[in-house]
Amino acid sequence: MDRTASISRTTSETDIAVTLNLDGSGCSDIDTGIGFFDHMLRSFAKHGFFDLTVQVKGDLEVDCHHTIEDTGIVLGEAIKKAVGDKKGIRRYGSFALPMDETLVLTALDLSGRPYLCFDADFTVDRVGEFDTEMVREFFYAISYSCGMNLHIRQLAGQNNHHIIEAIFKSFAKALDEATGYDPRIKDVLSTKGTL
């Protein structure tokens, strides 16, 4: 079964094209115009074993907000489309990821019901050209466009680069688990019979 999705979205603020293969090997081709964001998306692909292409032209002369938020919207839509009918997948995923002094826990449910609980503390306004307040906005956009219940919690950490990178990697590992197949699951993992 091919679990690949290609989504494009064009507005007056951004022009975005994303291709995602949930059953990839971690290959990526990323160009958002924001170096640190590119680094985070490459980390997401590598640690989730997703093949990911992201091409973005955004209004960076304004700031990074529209580029990052809209990329989250499109990536969330790509995840939703690639997962398909959700038959046979684990549905739930969680991962506690250490990175030097940092520890981040991500837990998610591909329930079809969007919700974000985000608990992380940043002590600087930006890392490179990436505004730290946009981390929450990015994952909010993913959770709502995908229909994902998503909890992200920083358990330890001081270095803002480490905290953000641990969030992206932890999310990747949790999503890889949730989208993985379990041979015991014959339909969808729900007493309702649908997700």
Side-chain angles (χ1 to χ4, degrees):
M1 179 177 168
D2 182 28
R3 298 199 301 167
T4 301
S6 294
I7 304 287
S8 296
R9 181 177 188 266
T10 301
T11 71
S12 62
E13 298 165 340
T14 58
D15 185 3
I16 301 173
V18 169
T19 298
L20 171 69
N21 179 1
L22 293 175
D23 302 310
S25 60
C27 296
S28 62
D29 180 11
I30 313 292
D31 183 8
T32 67
I34 304 167
F36 184 75
F37 192 31
D38 291 354
H39 176 43
M40 293 302 99
L41 292 172
R42 284 192 296 268
S43 293
F44 163 75
K46 176 64 75 175
H47 291 271
F49 300 99
F50 308 125
D51 290 344
L52 179 66
T53 300
V54 179
Q55 299 297 318
V56 184
K57 292 180 181 173
D59 57 354
L60 295 177
E61 71 280 0
V62 176
D63 66 10
C64 66
H65 189 112
H66 300 139
T67 295
I68 296 170
E69 181 179 39
D70 290 6
T71 300
I73 291 170
V74 178
L75 181 56
E77 291 174 354
I79 294 167
K80 182 177 182 178
K81 183 176 179 183
V83 168
D85 62 13
K86 302 179 186 175
K87 289 182 179 178
I89 67 165
R90 292 185 184 96
R91 175 182 166 177
Y92 301 100
S94 64
F95 200 86
L97 191 131
M99 184 170 179
D100 297 334
E101 86 296 346
T102 296
L103 180 63
V104 169
L105 170 67
T106 298
L108 61 88
D109 175 10
L110 295 172
S111 62
R113 297 183 303 276
Y115 191 84
L116 175 68
C117 183
F118 185 89
D119 183 10
D121 294 317
F122 303 114
T123 57
V124 297
D125 292 334
R126 61 174 38 191
V127 176
E129 296 302 311
F130 185 105
D131 292 351
T132 53
E133 69 177 3
M134 290 310 301
V135 179
R136 184 191 184 282
E137 296 303 319
F138 176 73
F139 286 103
Y140 178 90
I142 287 178
S143 66
Y144 274 77
S145 63
C146 180
M148 175 192 302
N149 184 310
L150 177 59
H151 290 251
I152 296 172
R153 179 163 298 214
Q154 174 193 341
L155 302 177
Q158 291 143 2
N159 182 285
N160 290 264
H161 184 131
H162 293 167
I163 294 166
I164 298 169
E165 189 164 347
I167 288 171
F168 274 79
K169 290 177 178 178
S170 178
F171 174 67
K173 302 299 285 183
L175 183 63
D176 183 43
E177 181 180 9
T179 58
Y181 287 108
D182 185 323
R184 298 170 296 176
I185 304 170
K186 304 303 179 189
D187 200 349
V188 294
L189 189 58
S190 173
T191 55
K192 299 181 185 73
T194 185
L195 286 173

